[in-house]
Amino acid sequence: MGWAIAVHGGAGDIPLSLPPEKRLPREAGLRRCLDVGIAALKAHNHPLDVVELVRELENNPHFNAGKGSVLTTSGTVEMEACIMDGKTMKCGAVSGVSTVVNAISLARLVMDKTPHIYLAFDGAEAFAREQGLETVEMSHFITPENIERLKQAQEADRVQLDYTQPIQKEVPKDAALADGDSQIGIVGCVAVDSEGNLATATSTGGIVSKMVGRIGDTPIIGAGTYANHLCAVSATGRGEAIIRGTIARDVAAVMEFKGLSLKEAAAYAMNRVPRGNAGLIAVSSTGEVAMLFNTTGMFRACATEDGYSEISIWDSPIE
């Protein structure tokens, strides 16, 4: 048994030709988040405090969460986040957040400061202000890149997923999504300390040109986010597919009821989701790590107390 941590920046059809200017900042962001998390675990911080550090990725405009959140059909931002403690199974979630700098910290406050699990839209925003969380104008989250991506998606009359390559106007709107569709815009972190305490956190901006009010898998306990006494899981991918498959809960369930190892359980859960739709990161109470995806790639990183570490996108770790 020992501590372990894993982080992700989304899974999807990430092209091998992804330009360095898009790849390198994301790799650096993962490395930064991983290093901060490792330091927190070594300092014996609780895993809940460790996974909340996913705000490092929320503050990075190269990820589709927080500062880099994609836009709705109306050109607005609606962020979602969820956090869960494995030992107590306490959890908090938010949706429809548009002015809170770190949605994951708001989800933590919902868990710690209210009798509820899930707050959304105006109620979540009002609670954030009551609690003194940092808020900004919505324009803070809107980047030129995401304005252009919304324009592309609207011209093609369809939602667009993260890392999508430029859409050609002459492509029929009922054609398959272009190579490069990915991640569906989620960042996440899972952690276990040396005493076996587990936690998970997930945050997202959603999908490009989503309907106003659309809610994905991230804030839904058991779908995109779940932790219990056996494991902690954060999923990424097409939210609707993940919700149907209850991916995160399935990992824990087959560990508990089938006696599978973490990696076996993660593979079982992933095999129930159609190819090209999802990925997940998970840690067990004994310090195992699983990072699986059935897409082209997944931005991911992990480290364990025994000295192993990895940062990867496709099948092979990045040197």
Side-chain angles (χ1 to χ4, degrees), residues 160-210:
Q160 181 181 334
L161 312 175
D162 256 8
Y163 309 127
T164 303
Q165 302 308 289
I167 297 172
Q168 301 301 315
K169 293 182 180 179
E170 65 271 14
V171 175
K173 69 179 181 181
D174 59 347
L177 289 171
D179 287 343
D181 285 348
S182 112
Q183 167 212 62
I184 302 53
I186 299 175
V187 299
C189 181
V190 293
V192 60
D193 65 16
S194 56
E195 297 179 358
N197 297 305
L198 293 147
T200 178
T202 316
S203 182
T204 184
I207 56 178
V208 182
S209 197
K210 65 181 180 180

Side-chain angles (χ1 to χ4, degrees), residues 66 69-72 75-79 96-98 138 141-142 205 210:
S69 293
V70 297
L71 307 180
T72 69
T76 56
V77 168
E78 292 183 353
M79 298 172 285
V97 175
S98 59
M138 187 190 298
F141 303 102
I142 299 175
K210 65 181 180 180

Side-chain angles (χ1 to χ4, degrees), residues 74-157:
S74 297
T76 56
V77 168
E78 292 183 353
M79 298 172 285
E80 303 178 312
C82 183
I83 192 167
M84 187 167 186
D85 175 56
K87 185 175 183 179
T88 65
M89 298 187 74
K90 290 180 62 178
C91 47
V94 294
S95 285
V97 175
S98 59
T99 69
V100 180
V101 172
N102 293 117
I104 195 62
S105 294
L106 178 57
R108 175 76 183 270
L109 285 173
V110 172
M111 180 184 75
D112 289 343
K113 303 292 186 180
T114 81
H116 308 305
I117 289 174
Y118 196 166
L119 293 180
F121 296 93
D122 290 348
E125 291 279 343
F127 178 66
R129 292 191 293 272
E130 290 170 9
Q131 294 297 312
L133 280 185
E134 183 180 2
T135 59
V136 293
E137 294 296 320
M138 187 190 298
S139 58
H140 166 83
F141 303 102
I142 299 175
T143 65
E145 181 180 21
N146 283 330
I147 292 172
E148 178 59 30
R149 292 174 64 198
L150 175 62
K151 179 181 177 182
Q152 289 181 2
Q154 290 179 332
E155 288 175 349
D157 193 21

